[in-house]
Amino acid sequence: MSTLVPAVLLCLVSAVCYAGAAIAQERVAATATGRADAAYAPLRRPGWWGAVALTGLGSALHVVALACGPLSLVQPLGALTIVFALPMAALFACRPVGPAGWRGALLATVGLAGLLSLTGPPRTESLAVGERPLLAAGVLAFAAAVALGARRLRRPVVRGVALATAAGAAFGMASVFTKAVAEDWAAHQAVPALLPPLGAIALLASAGMLLSQASYRDAGLAAPLATVTVVNPVVAAAVGVLALGEDFRFGTTGALLAATAGLLAASGVVALTLQGPGPAGGGREAVVAGGPGPGAATAGLAPAVATTGPRAGARRRRGPAPASRASGVGGTARVPGARTRARRPMPERSGTRQG
C-alpha cells in the first residue's frame, strides 16, 4: 500500500496537467481560427508551448505512476482528465458546466473510486520476455485487420468506432510495455535489453495515433473519443490481471464489484465525451469542432465554431437587403424600371391595332 498512494497522487497530478494542456490548446486554436496562417500561428503563442510542456509533464508523471502502481488502476485513472477538465474550463475559460456534464463526472468519479478501493496491493511481477513479442504482434495484427476491414463498412460512425477500438487496443498495449520498461529499469536491466520494448512502445503508439486520426476523420470526435477512452484502460487492465498477476480484493466478489465499478466509470466517461459545451453552442457540432490528441479529452468544451459560422453567414445575407432597400435607390429602382420598360410597349401595340 506504500507505493499505491504515490501512484494515485501521480495520476491525479498527471490528469490535471493533461486537462490544463487541453484547455490551453483549445483556447490557442480558437484564437487562430480564420487566419491565413492558422496552421502555424499556434507555434508563435506562448500558451501553445505551455500546453506542450504540460503534456510532457503529464506523460512523465504517468510513466512514473505506472512504475509505482498496478496497471489495472493507473490506466483507468487517466480518464480523470475529462473529469478535471470540466471545473477547470468553468474556472479559467468561463464556460459553465451543464447538468449532463456533472452527472457524467459524478459517475466517472464514483466508478474510479470503487476501482481504487477494490484494487489489491501492487506487485513487482513484470511482463515475461517471451510474452512480449506475442502480445505486440497480436495487437498489431488486430489493428491491421480492423483497418483493412473498416474499408468495407459503409456507415462512417461504425467505421470510426471500429478504428477507434483498434486505436484504444494499441494505446493500452503501449501502456503495458511502458509498465514493463519501468519494471526492467527498476530492476537495473541493461540498456540493450530495454531497446526492444521501447521500439514496441513507439510502434504501438504510432499505430494508435494513426488509427485514432482515421477514426476522427470518418466519424467526428465524440464516438471515437469515447471508444478510445474506454478500450484503452480495459485492454491494459485485462493484461495486468491475466499476465501480470494483478488482482482485486475479496476474490471473485471483488472482481465482480470492480467490473461493475469499471462499467460505471465507463458510462460516465461516455456521457462526458458526448455532452455538448453548454450554452455556447449546440451539442454535437461543438464536439466535432475539437481535435485529436491530448486536447481531444476536452473537445466537448470547445466553442461551437460549426454552429456560429452559419448564423453569422445568415446575418450577412440578411443584412445587405434591408440596407439597400432603405438607403440605396439604384438597386431598388432598376427592378421596377425594368418592369415598366417591359410593360410600356404593350399599350403601343394595342393602340396600333385599334388604329
Side-chain angles (χ1 to χ4, degrees):
M1 193 70 179
S2 59
T3 59
L4 187 60
V5 175
V8 174
L9 294 178
L10 289 171
C11 287
L12 295 178
V13 180
S14 174
V16 171
C17 291
Y18 279 135
I23 295 173
Q25 285 178 335
E26 185 274 322
R27 296 187 68 178
V28 171
T31 56
T33 303
R35 296 179 54 177
D37 57 345
Y40 303 99
L43 299 178
R44 297 190 293 268
R45 299 288 299 275
W48 188 85
W49 291 106
V52 172
L54 285 175
T55 302
L57 179 59
S59 301
L61 293 175
H62 186 75
V63 171
V64 178
L66 285 172
C68 296
L71 186 66
S72 56
L73 174 66
V74 172
Q75 202 64 20
L77 286 179
L80 287 173
T81 300
I82 305 179
V83 178
F84 288 155
L86 289 176
M88 290 177 65
L91 180 62
F92 297 107
C94 300
R95 290 176 191 154
V97 181
W102 289 120
R103 285 195 298 269
L106 180 61
L107 288 175
T109 303
V110 171
L112 293 175
L115 284 176
L116 177 61
S117 62
L118 295 170
T119 301
R123 303 173 56 131
T124 57
E125 181 180 358
S126 179
L127 190 64
V129 178
E131 296 177 351
R132 298 179 184 183
L134 297 178
L135 290 175
V139 171
L140 290 175
F142 170 74
V146 171
L148 293 176
R151 298 181 178 181
R152 301 182 179 180
L153 299 176
R154 297 181 179 181
R155 298 186 60 183
V157 175
V158 178
R159 183 168 59 250
V161 169
L163 293 173
T165 302
F171 284 136
M173 192 57 62
S175 298
V176 172
F177 276 86
T178 303
K179 172 72 172 178
V181 170
E183 293 290 344
D184 293 344
W185 179 265
H188 303 287
Q189 291 286 342
V191 175
L194 301 178
L195 295 179
L198 288 175
I201 292 173
L203 190 60
L204 289 167
S206 301
M209 184 175 296
L210 293 175
L211 289 169
S212 61
Q213 185 65 43
S215 67
Y216 297 144
R217 183 178 62 248
D218 290 335
L221 184 66
L225 179 59
T227 303
V228 171
T229 308
V230 171
V231 174
N232 183 346
V234 167
V235 171
V239 175
V241 172
L242 298 177
L244 299 181
E246 298 175 356
D247 54 0
F248 298 95
R249 302 180 187 275
F250 312 116
T252 305
T253 304
L256 294 176
L257 292 175
T260 304
L263 291 176
L264 191 64
S267 63
V269 169
V270 172
L272 285 172
T273 307
L274 298 180
Q275 65 101 23
R284 297 185 178 180
E285 291 85 359
V287 174
V288 176
T298 54
L301 305 173
V305 178
T307 56
T308 55
R311 294 178 182 176
R315 291 177 183 175
R316 292 175 185 173
R317 287 192 298 268
R318 291 195 300 265
S324 60
R325 292 174 184 174
S327 59
V329 181
T332 56
R334 291 177 184 176
V335 177
R339 293 179 180 177
T340 305
R341 288 193 297 268
R343 294 176 181 177
R344 284 176 182 175
M346 295 179 63
E348 297 176 359
R349 292 179 182 177
S350 60
T352 306
R353 290 179 183 179
Q354 289 177 1

